Amino acid sequence: MTLHRDRPLVSLVGAGPGDPDLLTLKAARRLQEADLVLYDSLVTPQTVALAGSATRISVGKRAGRPGTSQPAIHAIMIRAARRGRRVVRLKCGDPFVLGRGGEAQALLVAGIPFEVVPGVSTAVAAPALAGIPVTHRGLSSAFVVVSGHSERAYGPVLDGLAPGSATVVVLMGLASRADLASRLLRRGWPGSTPAAVLVASSTAAESAWIGTLAELGRTELADGGGAGTIVIGDVVTLAHAGTTETKRTGMARAR
Ligand SMILES: C[S@@+](CC[C@H](N)C(=O)[O-])C[C@H]1O[C@@H](n2cnc3c(N)ncnc32)[C@H](O)[C@@H]1O
């Protein structure tokens, strides 16, 4: 679809895990055509740079400072769209996977036409980039994605999962990894279950830790700006061996 200048449109765009080469063609086009780009802190500068001459506003949390509030983000998008500006709301991964947001509803209520441009979610891309398939014949035929942000979000899901019955992928879970691990161990998951922590995947700062569920809670991790994806399950044994060893060393140096 080509954009028409006279028709307002807000594009809710997925930026993928960080490497601009992992953007969809449509996402790249929307960025190039944009007048205004509102982006989160996990969107890489290389991706934002594709926006050409657009005004760029960072609305994410930065260095411990709170980001722009959701109502303020909605107001900026709606005002700009009503002035006929082409607006891109750029979020890491896929915009509808644990994207907080509510932007689509706000635009709907305001009567602003919008579209969703799906992105490559880190829930599958971070493992894939480390050589870990989230499902694999004979190892796992299902995967569950949970938010590690709060116990209320992941507790009921993990408690309902039979040990080893699915690959568990946790986003926003680095800080709660000890609780996540002990919860699964209490539910009967073997301590030897393979586990991985994939930090800043697809960016220059990427690193990976590979170990076991028993080690996950007590391992020290490099600070990847807080962006890390945890994977728990037998599929982790498929992590690319050479890469893993190199990255283990990288992680140790980064402590
Ligand atoms: C608010 S959630 C958004 C998830 C996003 N919508 C998606 O589909 O990937 C942010 C979390 O995504 C994960 N994440 C984002 N970028 C990442 C990256 N480059 N490497 C590893 N994990 C990443 C981290 O778990 C981070 O805390």
Side-chain angles (χ1 to χ4, degrees):
M1 181 175 98
T2 312
L3 292 184
H4 296 280
R5 269 239 165 247
D6 50 339
R7 256 187 254 151
L9 178 72
V10 176
S11 304
L12 306 177
V13 175
D19 179 352
D21 280 353
L22 294 172
L23 283 173
T24 64
L25 293 174
K26 190 166 186 176
R29 206 163 57 236
R30 288 295 183 261
L31 278 172
Q32 284 150 10
E33 295 166 342
D35 296 311
L36 172 66
V37 177
L38 305 173
Y39 62 96
D40 285 339
S41 53
L42 289 178
V43 176
T44 57
Q46 294 85 343
T47 303
V48 178
L50 296 179
S53 60
T55 303
R56 303 155 199 191
I57 304 177
S58 165
V59 294
K61 287 185 201 160
R62 291 262 163 197
R65 289 200 305 272
T68 310
S69 70
Q70 255 336 116
I73 293 172
H74 299 167
I76 297 169
M77 289 191 310
I78 291 166
R79 199 169 51 235
R82 285 193 174 136
R83 287 180 181 157
R85 299 181 76 194
R86 291 169 297 190
V87 180
V88 167
R89 174 70 177 105
L90 188 60
K91 305 174 85 138
C92 80
D94 180 274
F96 276 6
V97 175
L98 297 180
R100 296 176 212 190
E103 281 110 350
Q105 281 74 16
L107 294 166
L108 205 59
V109 169
I112 305 287
F114 68 93
E115 64 173 357
V116 180
V117 181
V120 175
S121 178
T122 55
V124 290
L129 290 166
I132 303 170
V134 287
T135 64
H136 187 82
R137 185 186 281 240
L139 290 180
S140 173
S141 55
F143 66 102
V144 171
V145 181
V146 293
S147 165
H149 183 62
S150 91
E151 191 272 340
R152 272 205 320 270
Y154 62 78
V157 180
L158 297 187
D159 288 353
L161 211 55
S165 58
T167 303
V168 176
V169 179
V170 187
L171 301 183
M172 296 180 276
L174 294 194
S176 53
R177 63 186 184 279
D179 185 63
L180 286 156
S182 63
R183 186 165 208 120
L184 290 174
L185 291 168
R186 277 200 312 276
R187 299 286 306 167
W189 288 61
S192 58
T193 305
V197 182
L198 310 163
V199 175
S201 303
S202 87
T203 75
E206 83 175 340
S207 62
W209 171 88
I210 308 283
T212 64
L213 185 58
E215 295 164 339
L216 176 65
R218 51 177 194 266
T219 190
E220 275 184 65
L221 294 175
D223 178 4
T229 294
I230 299 174
V231 187
I232 300 163
D234 288 338
V235 289
V236 173
T237 55
L238 299 174
H240 187 274
T243 316
T244 302
E245 211 37 59
T246 316
K247 287 180 176 173
R248 240 187 217 280
T249 316
M251 182 66 83
R253 267 206 307 276
R255 272 183 202 156

